[in-house]
Amino acid sequence: MSSPPLASRTPGTSRAPDVLVVGGGVVGLVTAWRAAQRGLATGLVDPQPGGGAAQVAAGMLAAVTELHYGEGTLLALNLASARRYPAFAAELADLTGHDLGYRRCGTLAVALDADDRAHLRELHALQQRSGLDSEWLSGRECRRLEPMLAPGVRGGLRVDGDHQIDPRRLAGALLAACEHAGVVFHRTWAERLTVGRGDRATGVVTSDGTALEAGQVVLAGGSLSGRLTGVPEAVLPPVRPVKGQVLRLTMPRTRPLLHRTVRAVVRGNSVYLVPRESGELVVGATSEELGWDTTVTAGGVYELLRDAHELVPGITELPLTETRAGLRPGSPDNAPLLGPTALDGLLLATGHYRNGVLLTPVTGDVMADVLTTGELPEEARAFTPRRFGTDPALLRPSAPSERTEQPV
Ligand code: GLY
């Protein structure tokens, strides 16, 4: 692979940046921050940087408790990012002075009935086969750790290594870090990718008609990443929106209801309660394949509250302070797409699905590596966008009429 060229520079005029990141969620921000730290002149396009799915996400760093069959490769990346978290959070907090709400509190996954218990036993066996730390507890031992759990809890898994961070604070800190590192923000939509001679991505045109040029373009638009006009069909990221409804309640700070993240599968639905030091209790999340719909529904709120109440009956006393829905960027194999595409100059950092917050530190490092060297580091090679195949005949830019246009 050839090394990335520098952007065109004309002495005496403002030069195009080396890197332009499209999308200012946590993945776009960390990419821009790390790239700028490596000395690359970096711009970022987003009408509201710091927004995106992180504004809804609970912020569980759940590499072990969200382990699924057949996702061993993703597990390795999740663990690599979880290991980075302490130093990453400390660096970001030191640099910006922001409190990130990073809590090394661990997680308890519990079972309410025989089916849930069998499911958790399976998960425990998979964790052990994968060499992960988790401990089986009886119902009584679970309640000793978390006394507000329902008397019906029949057992659980204690995972002391799955922590949490407040994604809204993380986004705010990354924004400040980018500003500190000299990232230039374009607070507008990217409307179209521009592809120059020699089939190379050269920048984007924004919704106000401004042409922004760059040496390399990173598409980090979360669930919208597949909708940027001008991206050739062959390299269009296969991401889709997966809706998650999430509730926020408030616990008395002096009497928190829970001390660690508590989660369960109740009648086949995953539910989790994430208690923050601030007193916020996040309850999530639905998982719905409904396209771009972000409506908060009575049914979604009802099911989350019903399942959370079965786990922790005391939640009904708490004020319900927020209901919101966000869109996870799902990919065909549930893993992110990181690095160069078959179109020179266009890279992806998207498709993080359920793990965007967890994967933020490793994504920043991987993207900064590939942007400076042209090579994906070993730990990220399996996540190349090229794994989904490329038909070179489809490398020409698609016409706007070929699919719904959407600024990103
Ligand atoms: N990782 C939690 C969720 O996607 O709901």
Side-chain angles (χ1 to χ4, degrees), residues 22-177:
V22 179
V26 289
V27 165
L29 288 170
V30 78
T31 299
W33 176 41
R34 291 305 199 195
Q37 278 184 322
R38 301 272 184 106
L40 298 174
T42 303
L44 186 146
V45 196
D46 191 307
Q48 250 187 324
Q55 290 299 314
V56 182
M60 289 179 299
L61 308 176
V64 178
T65 41
E66 283 206 4
L67 177 64
H68 290 102
Y69 281 104
E71 293 187 356
T73 311
L74 177 59
L75 171 67
L77 193 71
N78 285 345
L79 290 173
S81 206
R83 278 194 296 275
R84 280 168 162 86
Y85 244 103
F88 171 82
E91 180 186 354
L92 203 46
D94 284 352
L95 180 73
T96 62
H98 289 212
D99 171 2
L100 306 179
Y102 177 53
R103 255 188 111 181
R104 303 181 74 166
C105 58
T107 296
L108 187 62
V110 299
L112 282 167
D113 61 22
D115 285 351
D116 299 344
R117 199 162 177 276
H119 171 90
L120 264 195
R121 284 282 192 198
E122 287 290 319
L123 176 62
H124 190 212
L126 180 61
Q127 289 166 341
Q128 288 186 317
R129 283 199 301 279
S130 308
L132 302 171
D133 278 342
S134 65
E135 183 190 358
W136 184 263
L137 301 183
S138 67
R140 185 171 302 167
E141 287 168 327
C142 290
R143 280 186 297 280
R144 205 172 295 140
L145 283 182
E146 292 294 345
M148 298 307 282
L149 280 175
V153 165
R154 299 175 69 148
L157 277 177
R158 176 179 178 162
V159 178
D160 285 342
D162 276 1
H163 302 308
Q164 60 153 299
I165 194 162
D166 184 334
R168 292 176 177 176
R169 292 176 181 225
L170 172 65
L174 283 170
L175 194 56

Side-chain angles (χ1 to χ4, degrees), residues 58-60 62 66 244 246 263 270 272 284-287 328 353-356:
M60 289 179 299
E66 283 206 4
V246 174
R263 55 186 303 152
S270 171
Y272 45 79
T286 64
S287 189
R328 307 173 182 91
Y353 189 36
R354 303 184 71 96
N355 297 304

Side-chain angles (χ1 to χ4, degrees), residues 381-399:
R381 295 226 171 113
F383 304 97
T384 170
R386 294 167 193 247
R387 71 188 184 276
F388 295 115
T390 301
D391 175 356
L394 297 173
L395 258 180
R396 70 187 166 75
S398 58

Side-chain angles (χ1 to χ4, degrees), residues 18 55 102 185 217 290 303 324:
D18 300 314
Q55 290 299 314
Y102 177 53
F185 286 94
V217 178
L290 289 174
E303 282 168 24
R324 199 151 164 193

